[in-house]
Amino acid sequence: MADRPQLLWLFFGVSGRVSRAAYFLGGLLVAIAQAFPLYRFTLVMEGTPESALWSTVFMVVFLASLWSNVALAVKRLHDLGKTGLAAVVLFVPVISIVAFLVLCLFPGQQGPNRYGQRTNAPAR
C-alpha cells in the first residue's frame, strides 16, 4: 500500500511523471469518488437535510477531483515529454475524450526526461 505522501503527490502534485496505468487507474478512482456522493444524492428526497448534505459532499469532492484530474494529466504529459499546459484541453468538450484516450494509450518516454528521472515519481 502506498504511503500518504505518495497518494497526495499522485492526486494533487504536478511535478514528476506518471505511467499510462497510473493515469488511468487514478482517473478511475477519481470518477468513482465523484459518482458515490452523486448516487447517494439521487437516493434521498429533494429538500431534506440529507439531500443538502450529499449535495455539499458532491460539490467538495467534485472541486477536489477537478484538481486531481489536472494534476494527473500534467504528470502524464510530463511522461510524454510535453508541457503540462496542454492539460487545458481536458476542459474542452469532445476534445477531452480524445485527449484522455491519447494519454491512456501512448507510451511515455523511456528513461529520464526534463520532467523527472523515472515514471511514477515526483521530480527530484
Side-chain angles (χ1 to χ4, degrees), residues 18-24 69-70 72-80 82-83 86-87 89-90 96-108:
V18 294
S19 66
R20 293 179 283 182
Y23 174 73
F24 176 77
N69 280 326
V70 169
L72 284 166
V74 165
K75 290 187 294 273
R76 183 69 194 117
L77 286 161
H78 287 172
D79 194 47
L80 295 167
K82 308 292 183 208
T83 179
V89 298
L90 292 173
S96 64
I97 296 167
V98 174
F100 176 77
L101 291 173
V102 166
L103 293 176
C104 286
L105 298 175
F106 281 77

Side-chain angles (χ1 to χ4, degrees), residues 11 25-35 61 64-66 68-69 72:
F11 291 106
L25 292 173
L28 185 61
L29 183 60
V30 168
I32 291 169
Q34 287 176 339
V61 169
S65 68
L66 276 177
S68 292
N69 280 326
L72 284 166

Side-chain angles (χ1 to χ4, degrees), residues 47-123:
T48 63
E50 192 176 6
S51 172
L53 169 71
W54 285 112
S55 173
T56 302
V57 170
F58 174 73
M59 286 307 295
V60 169
V61 169
F62 179 75
L63 292 174
S65 68
L66 276 177
W67 180 255
S68 292
N69 280 326
V70 169
L72 284 166
V74 165
K75 290 187 294 273
R76 183 69 194 117
L77 286 161
H78 287 172
D79 194 47
L80 295 167
K82 308 292 183 208
T83 179
L85 290 175
V88 169
V89 298
L90 292 173
F91 294 102
V92 179
V94 180
I95 295 174
S96 64
I97 296 167
V98 174
F100 176 77
L101 291 173
V102 166
L103 293 176
C104 286
L105 298 175
F106 281 77
Q109 290 182 336
Q110 295 291 336
N113 71 13
R114 66 182 179 159
Y115 298 106
Q117 294 297 312
R118 61 184 179 88
T119 197
N120 296 329

Side-chain angles (χ1 to χ4, degrees), residues 2-15 18 29-30 64 67-69 71-72 75 122:
D3 58 354
R4 182 172 282 167
Q6 277 294 98
L7 286 176
L8 287 174
W9 166 78
L10 179 64
F11 291 106
F12 298 104
V14 292
S15 73
V18 294
L29 183 60
V30 168
W67 180 255
S68 292
N69 280 326
L72 284 166
K75 290 187 294 273

